[in-house]
Amino acid sequence: MVRLRGLFGVGVVLAFLTACGGGTSTLTPQAFSPARVARHAVPVVRPAAGFKVLYNFGKGSDGAYPEGYPLLVGGKIYGTTYCGGAYGASTCTASGTGGGTVFVINVDGSGEKVLHSFNKGTDGSSPDAGLIAIKDTLYTTTLYGGTNGSGTVVAITTAGKEHVVYNFKGGAKDGANPYGPVVDVNGTLYGLTYNGGGGQGCGSNYCGTVFSVTPAGKEKVVHAFDESKGDGGFPAAGLLDEGGTLYGATSAGGADGKGTFFSVTPAGAEKVLYSFTGASDGGYPASAPVDVKGTFYATSASGGICGSKTCNGTVYSITTKGVEKAIYAFKAGSDGANPYDALVAVNGTLYGDTLAGGSAGDGTVFGVTTGGKESLLNTFAGSSGGAEPYGGLLYSSGKLYGFTVFGGTQHASGGGGGTFFIVNK
């Protein structure tokens, strides 16, 4: 079982980024493992003006380690936690045993309520993705659980009634371990599985898929990635629907072994638009793109050039014809390092978060103009301020909302972890 993002130590991720091969060699990303649950000692860092922790996860059955992006529906925030809930261990010490939740919370951090606790069984386990809303129903994926243990697509009403839309079978004929959120295209849901599909060059778990599934549960593998043919492997981000064509990224593989940016039609016609080299263009892309006036923007977890050294990730632009450019490279200093999440575009500025870096090493919230000028909005320092922002940001009424997967007062006291925060842009 393999995983790029989630509850891991940054050192493990960087080891993965170094170890992955290129071309048609077998790709071996690091194992799925919620590894870092004990906080390290960090210096005291004053939060930026306008930053505030609104809620601390891990008080009990409320869930722990929020990993999906915040979703605003009807004036309330909806999200998922990877662990905890009524059936999951708040310490999240083993893959697939964390349970997890779907929750709702007021925008001021009050009134947190668990809509559904995953029971680590047939209803799914360990949701890693954010939610989407179609009318009064929310849809997401779970990495594990379901009748075959290979993950699920689930639906849950805003009143808390949950049902499994589809159980992944795993193996060569189906996907396994759905990664990232689904997107709605004319009433059909499309998404990515990190494993499965039967494509070669990625080891026994295969290379992953693009899949479709109807709300009634009819599933289809739209495209199975095959690194032996050079189209990449292990898609680890969401998809963007642009004019009936889906765009996304694989976290590894391609011509230089550092990941690809691809397009695929609902009929399954897939094309590699760009293969990352890991140099100035970035490497190991792990986020869905956002469209700004016909150009896509996204993040790569590694790469970029800082003088004579390799940087620690990029914000890059790419056109539908595959013309790519890194518009900003993270130096792993106060500006942050290892951006994994999708960007939010507001009036020509792209807002996002980094999992690491900043003055305390626990991540940042940043803004980058489409021209490449970066500004730092907040740096995290563990403990009560939260650590390692994850899942992406929500913009609403001049403010940015997000989650950290570690830190918070409950983590510091030995309970679960993570926070819900707000920061002025």
Side-chain angles (χ1 to χ4, degrees), residues 245-298:
T245 298
L246 300 165
Y247 295 87
T250 66
S251 63
D256 294 285
K258 303 300 190 297
T260 70
F261 189 88
F262 66 87
S263 66
V264 62
T265 68
E270 189 259 3
K271 182 179 180 180
V272 174
L273 298 176
Y274 187 79
S275 287
F276 290 85
T277 70
S280 60
D281 59 339
Y284 308 104
S287 78
V290 60
D291 181 13
V292 180
K293 297 181 179 179
T295 297
F296 301 137
Y297 293 86

Coordinates of all heavy atoms in Angstrom, one line a residue, residues 245-298:
T245 N -13.2 18.6 -20.4 CA -12.0 17.8 -20.3 C -11.5 17.9 -18.9 O -11.5 19.0 -18.2 CB -10.9 18.4 -21.3 OG1 -11.4 18.2 -22.6 CG2 -9.6 17.7 -21.1
L246 N -10.9 16.8 -18.4 CA -10.4 16.8 -17.0 C -8.9 16.9 -17.0 O -8.2 16.3 -17.9 CB -10.8 15.5 -16.3 CG -12.3 15.2 -16.2 CD1 -12.5 13.7 -15.9 CD2 -12.9 16.1 -15.2
Y247 N -8.4 17.7 -16.1 CA -6.9 18.0 -16.0 C -6.5 17.6 -14.6 O -7.2 17.8 -13.6 CB -6.6 19.4 -16.2 CG -6.9 19.9 -17.7 CD1 -8.2 20.3 -18.0 CD2 -5.9 19.8 -18.7 CE1 -8.5 20.7 -19.3 CE2 -6.2 20.2 -20.0 CZ -7.5 20.7 -20.3 OH -7.8 21.0 -21.5
G248 N -5.3 17.0 -14.5 CA -4.7 16.6 -13.2 C -3.3 16.3 -13.3 O -2.6 16.5 -14.3
A249 N -2.7 15.6 -12.2 CA -1.3 15.3 -12.2 C -1.0 14.0 -11.6 O -1.8 13.5 -10.7 CB -0.5 16.4 -11.4
T250 N 0.0 13.3 -12.0 CA 0.5 12.1 -11.3 C 1.7 12.5 -10.5 O 2.5 13.4 -10.9 CB 0.9 11.0 -12.3 OG1 2.1 11.4 -13.1 CG2 -0.2 10.7 -13.2
S251 N 1.9 11.9 -9.3 CA 2.9 12.3 -8.4 C 4.3 11.7 -8.7 O 5.3 12.1 -8.1 CB 2.5 12.0 -7.0 OG 2.4 10.5 -6.8
A252 N 4.3 10.8 -9.7 CA 5.6 10.2 -10.1 C 5.5 9.8 -11.5 O 4.5 9.8 -12.2 CB 5.9 9.0 -9.1
G253 N 6.6 9.3 -12.0 CA 6.7 8.8 -13.4 C 6.8 9.8 -14.5 O 7.1 11.0 -14.2
G254 N 6.5 9.4 -15.7 CA 6.7 10.3 -16.8 C 8.1 10.2 -17.4 O 8.9 9.3 -16.9
A255 N 8.4 11.0 -18.4 CA 9.7 10.8 -19.1 C 10.9 11.0 -18.2 O 11.9 10.3 -18.4 CB 9.7 11.9 -20.2
D256 N 10.8 11.8 -17.1 CA 11.9 12.0 -16.2 C 11.7 11.5 -14.8 O 12.5 11.7 -13.9 CB 12.3 13.5 -16.2 CG 12.8 14.0 -17.5 OD1 13.9 13.7 -17.9 OD2 12.0 14.7 -18.2
G257 N 10.6 10.8 -14.6 CA 10.4 10.1 -13.3 C 9.9 11.1 -12.2 O 9.8 10.7 -11.1
K258 N 9.6 12.3 -12.6 CA 9.2 13.3 -11.5 C 7.8 13.7 -11.6 O 7.4 14.7 -11.0 CB 10.1 14.5 -11.6 CG 11.6 14.2 -11.6 CD 12.0 13.6 -10.3 CE 13.6 13.5 -10.1 NZ 14.2 12.7 -11.1
G259 N 7.0 12.9 -12.3 CA 5.5 13.3 -12.3 C 5.1 13.9 -13.6 O 5.9 14.3 -14.5
T260 N 3.8 13.9 -13.9 CA 3.3 14.4 -15.1 C 2.1 15.3 -14.8 O 1.4 15.2 -13.8 CB 2.8 13.3 -16.0 OG1 1.6 12.7 -15.5 CG2 3.9 12.2 -16.2
F261 N 1.7 16.1 -15.8 CA 0.5 16.9 -15.9 C -0.2 16.3 -17.1 O 0.3 16.3 -18.2 CB 0.7 18.4 -16.0 CG -0.5 19.2 -15.9 CD1 -0.9 19.6 -14.6 CD2 -1.3 19.5 -17.0 CE1 -2.1 20.4 -14.5 CE2 -2.4 20.3 -16.9 CZ -2.8 20.7 -15.6
F262 N -1.5 15.9 -16.9 CA -2.2 15.2 -18.0 C -3.6 15.8 -18.2 O -4.2 16.5 -17.4 CB -2.3 13.7 -17.7 CG -3.2 13.4 -16.5 CD1 -4.6 13.3 -16.6 CD2 -2.6 13.3 -15.2 CE1 -5.4 13.0 -15.5 CE2 -3.4 13.0 -14.1 CZ -4.8 12.9 -14.2
S263 N -4.2 15.5 -19.4 CA -5.6 15.7 -19.6 C -6.2 14.4 -20.0 O -5.6 13.5 -20.5 CB -5.8 16.7 -20.8 OG -5.3 16.1 -22.0
V264 N -7.5 14.3 -19.7 CA -8.3 13.0 -20.0 C -9.7 13.4 -20.3 O -10.3 14.3 -19.6 CB -8.2 12.0 -18.9 CG1 -8.7 12.4 -17.6 CG2 -8.8 10.7 -19.4
T265 N -10.3 12.9 -21.3 CA -11.7 13.1 -21.6 C -12.6 12.1 -20.8 O -12.1 11.0 -20.5 CB -12.0 13.0 -23.1 OG1 -11.8 11.6 -23.5 CG2 -11.1 13.9 -23.9
P266 N -13.8 12.4 -20.6 CA -14.7 11.4 -20.0 C -14.8 10.1 -20.8 O -15.1 9.0 -20.2 CB -16.1 12.1 -20.0 CG -15.7 13.6 -19.9 CD -14.5 13.7 -20.8
A267 N -14.5 10.1 -22.1 CA -14.5 8.9 -22.9 C -13.2 8.1 -22.7 O -13.1 7.0 -23.2 CB -14.7 9.3 -24.3
G268 N -12.2 8.7 -22.0 CA -10.9 8.0 -21.7 C -9.7 8.3 -22.6 O -8.7 7.7 -22.4
A269 N -9.8 9.3 -23.4 CA -8.7 9.7 -24.2 C -7.7 10.6 -23.3 O -8.0 11.7 -23.0 CB -9.1 10.6 -25.4
E270 N -6.6 9.9 -23.0 CA -5.6 10.6 -22.1 C -4.4 11.1 -22.8 O -4.0 10.4 -23.8 CB -5.2 9.6 -21.0 CG -4.4 10.2 -19.8 CD -2.9 9.9 -19.9 OE1 -2.5 9.3 -20.9 OE2 -2.2 10.4 -19.0
K271 N -3.8 12.2 -22.3 CA -2.6 12.8 -23.0 C -1.8 13.4 -21.9 O -2.2 14.1 -21.1 CB -3.0 13.8 -24.0 CG -1.9 14.4 -24.7 CD -2.3 15.5 -25.7 CE -1.2 16.1 -26.5 NZ -1.6 17.1 -27.5
V272 N -0.5 13.0 -21.9 CA 0.5 13.7 -21.1 C 0.9 15.0 -21.7 O 1.5 15.1 -22.8 CB 1.8 12.8 -20.9 CG1 2.8 13.6 -20.1 CG2 1.4 11.5 -20.1
L273 N 0.5 16.1 -21.0 CA 0.8 17.4 -21.5 C 2.2 17.9 -21.1 O 2.8 18.7 -21.8 CB -0.2 18.4 -21.0 CG -1.7 18.2 -21.4 CD1 -2.6 19.2 -20.7 CD2 -1.8 18.2 -22.9
Y274 N 2.7 17.4 -20.0 CA 4.0 17.8 -19.5 C 4.6 16.7 -18.6 O 3.9 16.2 -17.7 CB 4.0 19.1 -18.8 CG 5.3 19.7 -18.5 CD1 6.1 20.3 -19.5 CD2 5.9 19.6 -17.2 CE1 7.3 20.9 -19.2 CE2 7.1 20.1 -16.9 CZ 7.9 20.7 -17.9 OH 9.1 21.2 -17.6
S275 N 5.9 16.5 -18.7 CA 6.6 15.6 -17.8 C 7.6 16.4 -17.0 O 8.5 17.1 -17.6 CB 7.4 14.5 -18.5 OG 6.5 13.5 -19.0
F276 N 7.5 16.4 -15.7 CA 8.4 17.2 -14.8 C 9.8 16.6 -14.7 O 9.9 15.4 -14.7 CB 7.8 17.3 -13.4 CG 6.5 18.2 -13.4 CD1 5.3 17.6 -13.7 CD2 6.6 19.5 -13.1 CE1 4.1 18.4 -13.7 CE2 5.5 20.3 -13.1 CZ 4.2 19.8 -13.4
T277 N 10.8 17.5 -14.6 CA 12.2 17.0 -14.6 C 12.7 17.1 -13.2 O 13.8 16.5 -12.9 CB 13.1 17.9 -15.5 OG1 13.2 19.2 -14.9 CG2 12.5 18.0 -16.9
G278 N 12.1 17.8 -12.2 CA 12.6 18.0 -10.9 C 13.6 19.1 -10.8 O 14.2 19.3 -9.7
A279 N 13.9 19.8 -11.8 CA 14.8 20.9 -11.8 C 14.1 22.2 -11.6 O 13.3 22.3 -10.8 CB 15.7 20.9 -13.1
S280 N 14.4 23.2 -12.5 CA 13.7 24.5 -12.3 C 12.2 24.4 -12.5 O 11.5 25.3 -11.9 CB 14.3 25.5 -13.3 OG 14.1 25.1 -14.6
D281 N 11.7 23.4 -13.2 CA 10.3 23.4 -13.4 C 9.5 22.8 -12.2 O 8.3 22.8 -12.2 CB 10.0 22.5 -14.7 CG 10.6 21.1 -14.6 OD1 11.5 20.9 -13.8 OD2 10.1 20.3 -15.3
G282 N 10.2 22.2 -11.3 CA 9.5 21.5 -10.2 C 9.5 20.0 -10.4 O 9.8 19.5 -11.4
G283 N 9.0 19.3 -9.3 CA 8.9 17.9 -9.4 C 7.9 17.3 -8.4 O 7.6 18.0 -7.4
Y284 N 7.3 16.1 -8.7 CA 6.3 15.5 -7.9 C 5.1 16.4 -7.6 O 4.8 16.7 -6.5 CB 7.0 15.0 -6.6 CG 8.2 14.2 -6.9 CD1 9.5 14.7 -6.7 CD2 8.1 12.9 -7.4 CE1 10.6 13.9 -6.9 CE2 9.2 12.1 -7.6 CZ 10.5 12.6 -7.4 OH 11.6 11.9 -7.7
P285 N 4.4 16.7 -8.6 CA 3.2 17.6 -8.4 C 2.1 16.8 -7.7 O 1.9 15.6 -7.9 CB 2.7 17.9 -9.9 CG 3.2 16.7 -10.7 CD 4.5 16.4 -10.1
A286 N 1.5 17.5 -6.7 CA 0.5 16.8 -5.9 C -0.8 17.5 -5.6 O -1.5 17.2 -4.7 CB 1.2 16.5 -4.5
S287 N -1.0 18.5 -6.5 CA -2.3 19.3 -6.3 C -3.1 19.4 -7.6 O -2.5 19.3 -8.7 CB -2.0 20.7 -5.8 OG -1.5 21.5 -6.8
A288 N -4.4 19.6 -7.4 CA -5.2 19.8 -8.6 C -4.9 21.2 -9.1 O -4.6 22.1 -8.3 CB -6.7 19.7 -8.2
P289 N -5.1 21.5 -10.3 CA -4.9 22.9 -10.9 C -6.1 23.8 -10.6 O -7.2 23.3 -10.4 CB -4.7 22.6 -12.4 CG -5.5 21.4 -12.7 CD -5.4 20.5 -11.4
V290 N -5.8 25.1 -10.7 CA -6.9 26.1 -10.7 C -6.8 26.9 -12.0 O -5.6 27.1 -12.4 CB -6.8 27.0 -9.4 CG1 -5.5 27.7 -9.3 CG2 -8.0 27.9 -9.4
D291 N -7.9 27.3 -12.6 CA -7.8 28.0 -13.8 C -7.9 29.5 -13.5 O -8.8 30.0 -12.9 CB -9.0 27.6 -14.7 CG -9.1 28.3 -16.0 OD1 -8.1 28.9 -16.4 OD2 -10.1 28.2 -16.7
V292 N -7.0 30.3 -14.1 CA -7.0 31.7 -14.0 C -6.9 32.3 -15.4 O -5.8 32.2 -16.0 CB -5.9 32.3 -13.1 CG1 -5.9 33.8 -13.1 CG2 -6.0 31.7 -11.7
K293 N -8.0 32.7 -16.0 CA -8.0 33.3 -17.3 C -7.4 32.4 -18.4 O -6.6 32.8 -19.2 CB -7.3 34.7 -17.3 CG -8.0 35.7 -16.4 CD -7.3 37.0 -16.4 CE -8.0 38.1 -15.6 NZ -7.3 39.4 -15.6
G294 N -7.7 31.1 -18.3 CA -7.3 30.2 -19.3 C -5.9 29.5 -19.1 O -5.5 28.7 -19.9
T295 N -5.2 29.9 -18.0 CA -4.0 29.3 -17.7 C -4.1 28.6 -16.3 O -4.8 29.1 -15.4 CB -2.8 30.3 -17.5 OG1 -2.6 31.0 -18.8 CG2 -1.5 29.7 -17.1
F296 N -3.6 27.4 -16.2 CA -3.7 26.6 -15.0 C -2.5 26.9 -14.1 O -1.4 27.1 -14.5 CB -3.7 25.1 -15.3 CG -4.8 24.7 -16.2 CD1 -4.6 23.8 -17.2 CD2 -6.1 25.2 -16.0 CE1 -5.6 23.4 -18.1 CE2 -7.1 24.8 -16.9 CZ -6.9 23.9 -17.9
Y297 N -2.8 26.9 -12.8 CA -1.8 27.1 -11.7 C -1.9 26.0 -10.7 O -3.1 25.6 -10.3 CB -1.9 28.4 -11.0 CG -1.6 29.6 -12.0 CD1 -2.6 30.1 -12.8 CD2 -0.4 30.2 -12.0 CE1 -2.4 31.2 -13.6 CE2 -0.1 31.2 -12.9 CZ -1.1 31.7 -13.7 OH -0.8 32.8 -14.5
A298 N -0.8 25.5 -10.2 CA -0.8 24.4 -9.3 C 0.5 24.4 -8.5 O 1.4 25.3 -8.7 CB -1.1 23.0 -10.0

